[in-house]
Amino acid sequence: TQRCTTRHRTTWLIVTSITMTLATLTKGPLGLVLPGLAIVLWMLAEGRLRELFRPGLIAAFGCASALALLWYGAAYAVGGREFVDVQIVLCLWDRFTGKLAMCRHPFYYFLPYVVTGFLPWGLLVPFVGIALWNGRRLLPSPVRLAVFWFLGFLAFFSASRGKCLAYLVPVFPPIAILTGWAVADLLTN
């Protein structure tokens, strides 16, 4: 069974590396930063920080970084400094810091859209919160990962000075996971 577990873990690390690479190619360095943030928050809460330094996880992030750097190198070779100025500085850094005066909203801007953007299931979000609060000491580890995925992404995008509603899309998968868990928990208890 250890061999099967190792094979299963390796498969998921490869899938993780590929998806982070694709995310980085479409959304820039955030494709690595945001999954890393969720994993670090979760492992910190689980008391498993040492696992961040496991060879498989380092390899997954390393491979994703290397593949993304290859693409960025090719893009830089074609677009030069203008590519960096637009892709990294203007579209990411200036928007995040508020230097680019687009989509400026207060830090709580996304909160109502977490519910309305997830309709009709968004109506269950308050119940998900109650289920999480009531079971906070007994939550399964994957549920806690979904919580930190949601909270980490929401906090990151809420900290950004420039907020566009499209930024909220990555918080819906963990909300869907948490909603499914809360409904299943309600039906079994």
Side-chain angles (χ1 to χ4, degrees):
T1 59
Q2 178 62 30
R3 191 169 158 183
C4 181
T5 302
T6 301
R7 180 181 289 164
H8 187 256
R9 182 179 296 127
T10 301
T11 301
W12 279 112
L13 287 170
I14 291 168
V15 169
T16 299
S17 184
I18 291 169
T19 56
M20 285 190 303
T21 301
L22 294 173
T24 303
L25 296 183
T26 57
K27 297 310 291 176
L30 294 181
L32 285 166
V33 170
L34 291 174
L37 174 65
I39 290 169
V40 167
L41 289 174
W42 173 59
M43 287 190 165
L44 182 65
E46 298 273 309
R48 296 168 48 187
L49 274 181
R50 297 180 88 187
E51 290 183 41
L52 288 174
F53 303 102
R54 291 180 79 166
L57 191 57
I58 291 171
F61 276 87
C63 287
S65 298
L67 291 170
L69 283 173
L70 284 172
W71 184 86
Y72 273 97
Y76 181 77
V78 172
R81 180 74 189 162
E82 184 181 353
F83 167 77
V84 174
D85 288 343
V86 171
Q87 180 73 18
I88 306 295
V89 177
L90 182 68
C91 291
L92 293 176
W93 184 253
D94 288 351
R95 186 172 286 168
F96 188 86
T97 61
K99 191 174 180 182
L100 181 64
M102 279 180 63
C103 304
R104 285 191 176 185
H105 299 286
F107 75 95
Y108 55 84
Y109 174 72
F110 290 127
L111 292 179
Y113 296 107
V114 168
V115 175
T116 60
F118 193 54
L119 286 174
W121 307 110
L123 298 173
L124 298 175
V125 168
F127 300 104
V128 171
I130 292 168
L132 288 170
W133 181 258
N134 288 339
R136 65 189 175 278
R137 287 188 172 80
L138 305 172
L139 294 176
S141 186
V143 172
R144 289 191 299 269
L145 174 58
V147 168
F148 287 108
W149 175 5
F150 169 72
L151 292 176
F153 280 36
L154 184 63
F156 181 88
F157 288 120
S158 294
S160 173
R161 299 287 308 271
K163 295 174 181 66
C164 296
L165 283 178
Y167 296 172
L168 202 55
V169 171
V171 304
F172 291 125
I175 293 173
I177 291 167
L178 294 170
T179 302
W181 167 80
V183 169
D185 188 60
L186 177 68
L187 294 175
T188 58
N189 294 328

